[in-house]
Amino acid sequence: MKITNKLLAECLGTFWLVFGGCGTAIFAGGSVGFLGVALAFGLTVVTMAYAIGHISGAHLNPAVSLGVFCNGRMTWKEMLLYWCAQIIGAIIAAAVLFGLVKAAGMEVGTFAANGYGEFFEGAAGYQQISCGGAFVIEAVLTFVFLMVILGATDDKHANGKFAGLAIGLCLTLIHLISIPLTNTSVNPARSISQAIFSENALALPQLWLFIVAPLVGAALAGFAYKGITCTCCCKKEAK
C-alpha cells in the first residue's frame, strides 16, 4: 500500500475519532453521560479499524504510532508522517465541531478538551486530580491500550479478525476510568485539536501533559511487548 493512501486513511480515521467521540461529548454529553461518551470513542475505533485497518493499520493516534515504531513494526519516517496526518485530521474535525457549535448558538466552553485539577472546577462528576496523578493515569492507560493493540494485531500470535473489537472495547473501558479525571486523552492528536478551540484558559497550558504522558506510556508498551514476545519465542525454541 502506498504511503499516500495510508496517510489519507489516517487523516480520515482520526477525523472520525475526534468528530464522533468529542462530538458526542459536546452535543450529547449531558444526555448520554460518561458511559455514552466512552462508547462513542470506542465505536469510532471499532468502525475505523474495519474500514481502514487494512490500509494503514488504523492507528488514529500518535501514541499508537510511537508504540508500533518502538515495537519495530514501522520506520521513524513513516511514524512522523502518520503523526502529521493524524494531527491534521483531528484539527479538521475540531474545526468542523467548532463551526457546528457556533451554528447551534451554543457556548464553546471547555469543548471536550483535556485537563486536570482546576481545569474542571465546578464541573459535575469530575475530580480535581493533581498534575502528577493525571500524568500517571494517562501514561498507565496508554501503556495498557498499546499492549492490547500490539497483542491483538500480532500476526504471529493473535487472531486479527477480532482485533478491532478488542481495541474499541479497551478504549471504551479507558474512558470509563478516566473521563472524570482528565476527560481522557491517551491520544495527543485528540488533545491538541480540542485545546486549540477550547475557551478554558487552562486548555493550552496543560496540553503538554496530554502529549508527553501518552507518548511515554506508548513507548514503554512498545518495548515491553517486544520483550514479552521475545521471551516467549525463546522458551518455545528451547523446548
Side-chain angles (χ1 to χ4, degrees):
M1 192 69 66
K2 293 181 179 179
I3 187 63
T4 304
N5 300 76
K6 293 180 179 181
L7 298 180
L8 289 173
E10 284 298 307
C11 186
L12 171 63
T14 312
F15 171 92
W16 181 234
L17 182 146
V18 172
F19 190 80
C22 294
T24 299
I26 292 168
F27 298 116
S31 301
V32 301
F34 291 164
L35 175 60
V37 175
L39 286 170
F41 274 101
L43 289 172
T44 61
V45 170
V46 171
T47 51
M48 278 298 153
Y50 293 108
I52 65 170
H54 59 288
I55 300 174
S56 68
H59 294 187
L60 322 181
N61 180 342
V64 173
S65 297
L66 177 61
V68 171
F69 164 72
C70 290
N71 191 244
R73 301 188 194 180
M74 71 186 309
T75 67
W76 67 270
K77 290 182 179 180
E78 190 173 27
M79 179 191 73
L80 292 178
L81 289 172
Y82 266 47
W83 283 9
C84 292
Q86 291 155 357
I87 293 170
I88 289 171
I91 292 175
I92 293 173
V96 174
L97 289 173
F98 182 80
L100 292 174
V101 166
K102 290 294 186 180
M106 299 169 60
E107 292 185 3
V108 176
T110 297
F111 202 63
N114 299 113
Y116 57 86
E118 295 180 1
F119 186 93
F120 296 114
E121 186 174 5
Y126 285 89
Q127 307 298 319
Q128 293 189 42
I129 193 171
S130 66
C131 176
F135 194 99
V136 169
I137 193 66
E138 286 290 333
V140 168
L141 290 179
T142 308
F143 177 89
V144 174
F145 190 38
L146 263 294
M147 291 298 285
V148 171
I149 291 171
L150 294 171
T153 59
D154 191 330
D155 293 335
K156 296 180 180 179
H157 306 286
N159 184 347
K161 292 182 180 179
F162 299 102
L165 184 59
I167 295 167
L169 288 174
C170 181
L171 187 61
T172 299
L173 177 56
I174 284 171
H175 277 77
L176 289 175
I177 295 169
S178 59
I179 287 178
L181 302 177
T182 63
N183 234 10
T184 309
S185 172
V186 301
N187 185 337
R190 168 260 191 273
S191 296
I192 291 169
S193 65
Q194 301 312 114
I196 290 173
F197 294 93
S198 177
E199 289 182 342
N200 191 308
L202 293 175
L204 287 174
Q206 293 185 354
L207 178 59
W208 70 269
L209 187 146
F210 302 102
I211 296 174
V212 178
L215 292 179
V216 169
L220 291 174
F223 291 123
Y225 188 79
K226 180 186 290 187
I228 290 172
T229 51
C230 285
T231 301
C232 291
C233 290
C234 289
K235 286 183 178 179
K236 287 181 180 179
E237 289 177 2
K239 290 181 180 179

